[in-house]
Amino acid sequence: MVNVERPNPSELAARLRELPAAHPLVYRLGDQPGLFLVGGAVRDLLLGGRPFDLDLVVEGDPAIVLARLDGTAIVYDRFGTSTVSVDGFTYDVARARTETYRAPGALPEVTPASLDEDLRRRDFTVNAIALPLRSGSAGGLPAVPGALEDLDARRLRVLHDRSFIDDPTRLLRLARYRARLGFEIEDHTLALAREAVAQDALKTLSGPRIGNELRLLAREHDPVGAFAALRELGLDRSIDPRFGLQDDAVATEALALLPVDGNRDRLVLAVAGERLPADELRRLLDQLGFEAEDREGIVAAAKRAPGVADELAAARAPSQVATAALGLAPEVVALAGALGPADAAKQWLERLRHVELEIDGRDLLAAGIEQGPAVGFGLRAALVAKLDGRVHSRQEELAVALEAARGAG
Ligand code: CTP
């Protein structure tokens, strides 16, 4: 471990104190020795960001830290790894530890250790920098060798040659950081990653662990960039030869069309799964541990979008757009739009899907229509008229509905 002299830890501590999420920590634990902020939060602070998720490492027993934090703690294991909620913020607290991997891809065995060793077990140098929480701590920042230089050079580097074999989730994390931070992958690290992919390292992971990483990739601010990084590393093909984004522009356009109530991860995964037949995509998503609702949403978007695109392209009136899109999830329509009929998809997603009648079945019954199919027929006729801009009031809706219902009766 080296203590790099720059940047000045007290300056970094000042940046930390400005974060709302750090207030409870500084207030309750600002004088606690052996307590460090670690991982992505330190990296992002150094990059000038304002991290929200703060991870803490304690040298020794974390019980005192948990007691002093005095929040609601969920303790996961005998090493005191826990999640603590205080004043609306949540922190991960862990005892400094080493990890050994009994087999490639297996969950590690954990032994208490020093901060130095804890930093050395990590994925990339830029994630292996610590910031002492105790104010006025002397010296530089504890970090693995080269960490700050790599951060300066915007470079992703593993800490040792077995890193991807021991824990192949790091291959997927590499793609995620590559896209999110825009960092280069250092040459030797890239060679190790390619070697691990060629050896099918992902196959040593359980499906749900891969699925979890894919979900994180899909939730990135720029999921298309994240999936492009997967492709660059050959990781998508390693999951299934037909899995992965082929046309980034389609995914970008579909995301642009998706309204805020749409599900971005499902949409991205649908574009990535487009080339698999429905039953195989369903099976793959099952293996990857996706819940039924997610799985069916992804399959529906992937498989129905081309047909819906044809119907939307053929629609000549808003009511025909509605006939093509009614009842479909926004992800299906957004992807359909990205395959061609963008204007029709946009019209549906932004406006038409919100159009509702002012009247309902009771109005028709009150006007003497008998209960039965005529009621539905009348309401549909009124909706078509409203969508196409032919009626503008409750009275006009009712008139169209009654005429159609009587004609049907
Ligand atoms: N880590 C690791 N290997 C993994 C997962 C995590 O070494 N397979 C280490 C990294 O040092 C990482 C830290 O554990 O920084 C916490 O992991 P995680 O919570 O996933 O990432 P963060 O650092 O909190 O956040 P970000 O995703 O922003 O990097």
Side-chain angles (χ1 to χ4, degrees):
M1 187 172 75
V2 289
N3 280 338
V4 183
E5 291 306 323
R6 120 217 94 108
N8 175 346
S10 65
E11 184 190 315
L12 206 58
R15 278 192 220 165
L16 175 69
R17 282 195 297 275
E18 281 167 21
L19 300 177
H23 288 171
L25 297 180
V26 173
Y27 183 67
R28 294 168 198 225
L29 291 163
D31 60 350
Q32 179 72 33
L35 176 62
F36 302 87
L37 186 69
V38 288
V42 181
R43 178 199 67 217
D44 291 346
L45 264 185
L46 284 161
L47 290 170
R50 295 174 58 80
F52 189 80
D53 289 327
L54 303 184
D55 294 347
L56 299 169
V57 160
V58 191
E59 277 186 315
D61 189 352
I64 178 144
V65 168
L66 297 187
R68 291 189 67 190
L69 259 178
D70 193 23
T72 313
I74 306 169
V75 180
Y76 299 111
D77 57 35
R78 68 198 167 89
F79 293 106
T81 307
S82 55
T83 302
V84 188
S85 305
V86 188
D87 298 349
F89 298 103
T90 302
Y91 310 98
D92 282 342
V93 181
R95 182 171 194 158
R97 61 182 189 261
T98 52
E99 291 178 344
T100 44
Y101 293 84
R102 266 178 300 109
L107 289 172
E109 275 168 15
V110 176
T111 321
S114 63
L115 175 73
D116 182 356
E117 289 167 295
D118 186 283
L119 292 177
R120 286 177 191 276
R121 73 169 169 87
R122 290 173 184 265
D123 52 0
F124 304 107
T125 57
V126 295
N127 285 343
I129 308 171
L131 174 63
L133 215 75
R134 190 176 183 172
S135 47
S137 296
L141 290 175
V144 296
L148 290 182
E149 290 78 358
D150 285 340
L151 196 66
D152 274 348
R154 305 170 68 78
R155 195 159 54 202
L156 294 163
R157 182 201 300 271
V158 284
L159 274 66
H160 60 87
D161 285 5
R162 279 193 59 80
S163 190
F164 294 127
I165 300 296
D166 283 345
D167 179 359
T169 62
R170 290 175 174 166
L171 291 164
L172 300 153
R173 293 173 67 87
L174 180 69
R176 187 148 58 88
Y177 289 128
R178 161 102 187 87
R180 188 197 310 163
L181 303 170
F183 284 15
E184 291 302 319
I185 303 172
E186 174 271 328
D187 287 347
H188 184 58
T189 298
L190 184 59
L192 291 170
R194 293 203 186 288
E195 214 175 287
V197 174
Q199 285 175 27
D200 257 348
L202 286 188
K203 298 281 185 293
T204 64
L205 291 175
S206 71
R209 286 186 76 198
I210 300 178
N212 189 41
E213 293 296 330
L214 285 178
R215 210 174 283 113
L216 293 175
L217 281 150
R219 285 186 187 158
E220 281 293 308
H221 179 69
D222 173 18
V224 177
F227 272 71
L230 271 192
R231 185 178 56 217
E232 210 182 293
L233 292 163
L235 286 162
D236 47 8
R237 296 189 291 284
S238 182
I239 291 168
D240 183 288
R242 294 155 297 180
F243 183 74
L245 288 193
Q246 264 204 309
D247 184 345
D248 294 357
V250 167
T252 304
E253 170 79 5
L255 285 167
L257 285 168
L258 192 70
V260 285
D261 61 327
N263 186 314
R264 289 169 60 87
D265 355 337
R266 283 187 197 165
L267 179 54
V268 175
L269 287 159
V271 187
E274 239 176 355
R275 281 176 293 152
L276 280 97
D279 53 339
E280 291 189 49
L281 178 57
R282 194 170 278 121
R283 204 173 317 131
L284 175 66
L285 293 168
D286 247 346
Q287 281 164 5
L288 295 172
F290 284 85
E291 301 286 340
E293 200 184 335
D294 257 347
R295 183 191 66 213
E296 293 309 313
I298 295 165
V299 173
K303 296 293 123 192
R304 297 192 67 174
V308 174
D310 290 344
E311 288 176 42
L312 287 177
R316 291 290 159 259
S319 59
Q320 290 170 346
V321 169
T323 305
L326 197 70
L328 297 176
E331 299 82 53
V332 182
V333 182
L335 181 49
L339 296 174
D343 288 343
K346 198 169 173 166
Q347 198 185 14
W348 170 256
L349 291 167
E350 287 185 358
R351 195 170 61 79
L352 299 178
R353 72 185 171 122
H354 302 298
V355 172
E356 279 179 11
L357 290 173
E358 288 179 55
I359 57 167
D360 62 23
R362 281 167 304 192
D363 297 302
L364 272 65
L365 297 176
I369 303 296
E370 290 213 3
Q371 198 152 17
V375 174
F377 196 77
L379 290 174
R380 259 193 308 281
L383 184 62
V384 165
K386 185 162 186 169
L387 287 165
D388 290 343
R390 286 185 280 112
V391 298
H392 302 95
S393 68
R394 186 184 157 79
Q395 253 58 46
E396 288 177 4
E397 283 179 19
L398 193 58
V400 169
L402 288 175
E403 192 186 330
R406 286 182 186 130

